[in-house]
Amino acid sequence: SWSSPSFSTGCCGWNANELGATAMNKYVFPANRPDGSWSNWRIGSGWFEVAGTEHRYEDVLDFLNEVGKVWGIGKPFGVALEKEPNNPHHSNAIRVVGLIGDHKNPSQRYHLGFVPRDAADEAARLYGGIPIVAELKQAKIGTSRVFISIAALIPKGTPKEQ
């Protein structure tokens, strides 16, 4: 059982306007993986920082503010990974989407960024047609940057090499 922190401003207690220029506040989230039996990717630690959040700063903060609201009342939230084979910049691109509500039928979706290029390339090589999902692990919030860490997951029992 978990409970959200009680804060008075913004999501999970942050208010970017009140932070100093170099301040970073860290927030660790409770379990939020989708239903099923999942294991961490066998790529690095299985955790990674979402790439490109600096280009979506306001959207990322909006998502985290919504997470703060639903976390406090025990409603579901999380992240999803969506392959983008037609992405003009990277054929192995994997979009990271923030979800408010049930993973299968979220009430809100936010484009947060992408799986880092090297991890996405390795995932394409190792896990080609295998379903991949993710769990929101932590956020570090500052005045001009937000860092989101997620754990990428594959079905339990999936071999590393195909």
Side-chain angles (χ1 to χ4, degrees), residues 37-112:
S37 183
W38 303 100
S39 297
N40 277 11
W41 278 9
R42 294 177 190 96
I43 299 171
S45 71
W47 280 42
F48 58 86
E49 195 171 277
V50 176
T53 56
E54 69 275 12
H55 304 298
R56 295 167 187 82
Y57 183 74
E58 293 300 323
D59 288 340
V60 172
L61 283 182
D62 287 348
F63 167 67
L64 292 172
N65 279 317
E66 289 301 315
V67 166
K69 291 175 190 173
V70 299
W71 176 357
I73 57 174
K75 299 285 184 179
F77 64 90
V79 289
L81 301 179
E82 298 175 351
K83 296 176 184 176
E84 285 193 351
N86 297 321
N87 184 302
H89 305 290
H90 184 217
S91 62
N92 291 327
I94 303 171
R95 176 189 292 240
V96 178
V97 178
L99 307 174
I100 302 299
D102 182 76
H103 281 78
K104 292 180 181 172
N105 190 22
S107 60
Q108 295 172 303
R109 296 169 48 88
Y110 297 83
H111 179 193
L112 304 177

Side-chain angles (χ1 to χ4, degrees), residues 27-33 40 47-48 79 135-139 148-152:
Y27 303 90
V28 178
F29 299 100
N32 59 79
R33 63 179 50 186
N40 277 11
W47 280 42
F48 58 86
V79 289
E135 181 174 28
L136 180 64
K137 299 306 266 184
Q138 68 183 22
I148 302 274
S149 295
I150 67 174

